[in-house]
Amino acid sequence: MSQTGKQQPRRRAPIVEISLIMMAVSLITLIILCLVPGAGKSTKNPVLAIYGDQGNFPSLSFRNTMHAAGFEYELLNYGNDLPDASDIVVVGVGEDAAYVINEYKNDPHVIGFVLICPEYNEDFLTGLSSLDPVCDVAIFAGRDNADNVAGMKDARRIYERISGDDTLFGTPVKRGGLFASKVYFNNAQNRMLSLSCFTVNDANKLFFSPLFQNEFAGYLSVTYIDESTRETSFGRINAWFVLAWLATAFAAVAVLLYLSNMGLSQTGSDPKKAPVSKWVFGLIGGISIAVAIGVIATTFSHMLLGAMPMIQALLPLVFMLSLFIINFTWITTKDGKFIASKKTFIPAVFLAVIIGLFTMLIISLAADLKVHFINDAGMSSGFIVLMFIVDAVLATGLIYASRKSSTAGEGAKNCFGNRLIFALMFIPCAAAVLFGLIPGSTGVFYAGLGGLAATGLPYLAVIPVVRHTDRSLVPGVLHGIVYALILAAAL
């Protein structure tokens, strides 16, 4: 209380400064997490030759895990030659995983085998036993709690075939703490079976699990202790995953904190919604329902199953193109002419750059950003660039149309102003996720997740720029960048 009896006003917390510091810390941490996996690379390290993983791969996290265990790795197609290394552990992934044993067991540089979610194939298992090959063979697979022979999954059957053990009456060892795997060893200690506590329907996705990577590194460190160049650093492995999650959460909080100190744009946060013709809802809803029905048919008939990831990932562009055509008059007409304030340019660019950098780094931590759907590297790069340009043009036009409509007093338009229209765009990917949960439809499920990401994440990335600034081109370009990154990660 001052001498005049008036209470002094409280000082406001320096929100902007705090958010900027948090952004800087998050950004530096994410950059370090992208660089750290390269530490420990050595030509003396044993090499994992991984065959059969055709999809996206968590290259940064797995490289960090392997370097922490003193290993290198290479992703190869069946039929490719083994890497040029003195010590090689051959890894087979998926239904043809067991093929690698008979194919490479006589190679003098091969010191062991690992099978990830293999399927039983008599042709691949001919001649194999607990003594042939003499080197170690490990099998990693999903949950299998069958208490009879008929209910056993392929991984347990293969293990019993090549080890001579009986897993029904054998006692497994639990490894992994809270989410422990059940692990079986044969008497000779050269055959191992690890069954996760989770169901695994897609062998390729198992590599994304921190639990699997940790257990896998532990197996390599114990089994190949003489060949490995160092003891496994589990602290490095666990710290990488923990810091990745913390940095992601820290980045989100920093952006939200920064936005809390910014005013809203009248054209980006218009509570009034422009009236939408029934035929517009009919068009968007009709496309959504038609594709959803196609998803259901694909789930049961397996038609177009291989193309489902591409279909789901490109659907947002189909919806936006339809809305762009519908809104074309608003984009080109002089009615409701809108001129953005010069004061919002720098804040818009700053927000877009920060959100774009965070998105790029976070997606890089989770995926390898390679379009596996297109084998040719040049064509895949051209495809991503083309999709970026198309998406950026469509998003910019739709955002501009919505701003002009708000300026004219008719309310916000299209998917950037009417949430109901935006919600209709999620019907196909939601159908894919739900019906993909049916056993045997794992591909549809993951295609649906890719569709959810391609539809929702670019929208979430640009909404702060749309709502808090008057710019259309800046958030449009950001939408295109994020969409292109999602395509590279999902396909």
Side-chain angles (χ1 to χ4, degrees):
M1 192 75 66
S2 66
Q3 293 180 353
T4 60
K6 294 183 178 180
Q7 187 176 4
Q8 295 290 342
R10 291 183 178 180
R11 285 190 65 186
R12 293 182 62 187
I15 301 297
V16 174
E17 290 79 2
I18 293 174
S19 63
L20 291 175
I21 292 172
M22 292 178 66
M23 287 179 187
V25 171
S26 302
L27 193 60
I28 292 171
T29 303
L30 289 170
I31 291 173
I32 290 174
L33 289 173
C34 289
L35 297 176
V36 161
K41 182 177 181 179
S42 173
T43 55
K44 296 181 180 179
N45 290 342
V47 176
L48 290 180
I50 304 176
Y51 287 89
D53 193 301
Q54 302 297 322
N56 214 288
F57 193 81
S59 55
L60 283 177
S61 65
F62 195 71
R63 185 180 300 119
N64 180 70
T65 299
M66 289 301 96
H67 283 170
F71 276 76
E72 304 292 337
Y73 78 89
E74 288 190 27
L75 297 176
L76 303 165
N77 295 321
Y78 288 116
N80 291 158
D81 293 334
L82 288 172
D84 185 14
S86 57
D87 296 312
I88 302 171
V89 177
V90 181
V91 181
V93 181
E95 57 182 355
D96 295 329
Y99 161 82
V100 299
I101 299 181
N102 272 322
E103 181 69 14
Y104 301 112
K105 67 180 182 180
N106 295 322
D107 191 292
H109 300 295
V110 173
I111 58 177
F113 295 92
V114 177
L115 309 182
I116 309 294
C117 300
E119 293 188 9
Y120 197 96
N121 187 318
E122 187 65 37
D123 294 336
F124 297 156
L125 300 175
T126 301
L128 301 185
S129 67
S130 60
L131 299 177
D132 186 13
V134 295
C135 59
D136 292 275
V137 179
I139 302 173
F140 291 86
R143 179 169 52 195
D144 184 354
N145 295 324
D147 56 3
N148 57 73
V149 175
M152 272 189 196
K153 295 182 180 178
D154 287 357
R156 280 178 72 180
R157 294 172 58 204
I158 293 173
Y159 171 75
E160 291 191 352
R161 168 71 176 268
I162 66 175
S163 68
D165 280 7
D166 187 337
T167 58
L168 288 178
F169 299 101
T171 303
V173 176
K174 287 197 172 183
R175 176 193 290 169
L178 181 62
F179 303 104
S181 300
K182 292 197 302 184
V183 182
Y184 295 88
F185 294 95
N186 67 340
N187 292 331
Q189 297 290 298
N190 66 343
R191 303 287 185 265
M192 187 206 78
L193 170 67
S194 176
L195 300 174
S196 172
C197 67
F198 300 103
T199 300
V200 179
N201 293 322
D202 189 336
N204 297 327
K205 299 301 183 290
L206 192 58
F207 285 97
F208 288 84
S209 167
L211 296 175
F212 168 75
Q213 289 195 26
N214 206 304
E215 183 181 0
F216 190 42
Y219 167 77
L220 294 176
S221 67
V222 171
T223 307
Y224 305 105
I225 189 171
D226 294 330
E227 290 81 10
S228 178
T229 57
R230 65 178 62 86
E231 288 188 19
T232 299
S233 174
F234 292 102
R236 171 178 170 175
I237 298 171
N238 296 329
W240 193 93
F241 284 107
V242 171
L243 287 174
W245 283 105
L246 288 177
T248 301
F250 216 57
V253 172
V255 172
L256 292 175
L257 198 60
Y258 184 83
L259 293 173
S260 69
N261 205 54
M262 294 182 65
L264 293 173
S265 165
Q266 292 183 353
T267 61
S269 58
D270 189 353
K272 181 182 178 182
K273 306 303 176 188
V276 182
S277 301
K278 292 182 179 179
W279 72 270
V280 175
F281 281 116
L283 175 62
I284 303 301
I287 294 174
S288 295
I289 294 173
V291 176
I293 293 173
V295 167
I296 297 171
T298 298
T299 302
F300 292 105
S301 67
H302 298 288
M303 294 174 60
L304 297 177
L305 186 60
M308 186 56 63
M310 181 69 81
I311 293 172
Q312 290 287 338
L314 294 183
L315 266 179
L317 278 189
V318 175
F319 290 124
M320 290 175 64
L321 178 60
S322 302
L323 291 171
F324 187 89
I325 295 172
I326 294 170
N327 287 262
F328 189 73
T329 301
W330 268 106
I331 297 171
T332 57
T333 186
K334 293 182 179 179
D335 296 336
K337 188 176 182 180
F338 170 75
I339 300 176
S341 171
K342 294 181 179 180
K343 294 181 180 179
T344 63
F345 178 72
I346 293 178
V349 172
F350 175 77
L351 271 177
V353 169
I354 287 296
I355 294 173
L357 280 175
F358 281 146
T359 304
M360 181 182 67
L361 291 171
I362 291 169
I363 293 178
S364 297
L365 295 181
D368 59 12
L369 298 183
K370 295 180 181 178
V371 182
H372 298 274
F373 204 86
I374 302 174
N375 293 327
D376 185 83
M379 289 185 62
S380 64
S381 299
F383 170 77
I384 292 297
V385 172
L386 177 61
M387 293 300 100
F388 157 71
I389 294 173
V390 172
D391 185 270
V393 170
L394 295 178
T396 300
L398 292 175
I399 294 169
Y400 183 59
S402 185
R403 291 194 190 281
K404 288 183 69 176
S405 179
S406 294
T407 303
E410 296 192 17
K413 296 177 71 67
N414 62 65
C415 58
F416 290 100
N418 192 310
R419 294 179 181 176
L420 181 56
I421 295 177
F422 183 63
L424 290 174
M425 297 166 61
F426 282 94
I427 292 176
C429 46
V433 170
L434 292 175
F435 283 89
L437 294 174
I438 299 173
S441 299
T442 306
V444 176
F445 173 76
Y446 285 112
L449 289 183
L452 286 174
T455 305
L457 291 183
Y459 178 83
L460 291 176
V462 303
I463 281 301
V465 188
V466 172
R467 288 175 59 84
H468 293 275
T469 73
D470 291 336
R471 297 288 159 172
S472 300
L473 178 59
V474 174
V477 171
L478 176 61
H479 193 283
I481 291 173
V482 176
Y483 179 69
L485 290 171
I486 296 298
L487 285 184
L491 298 179

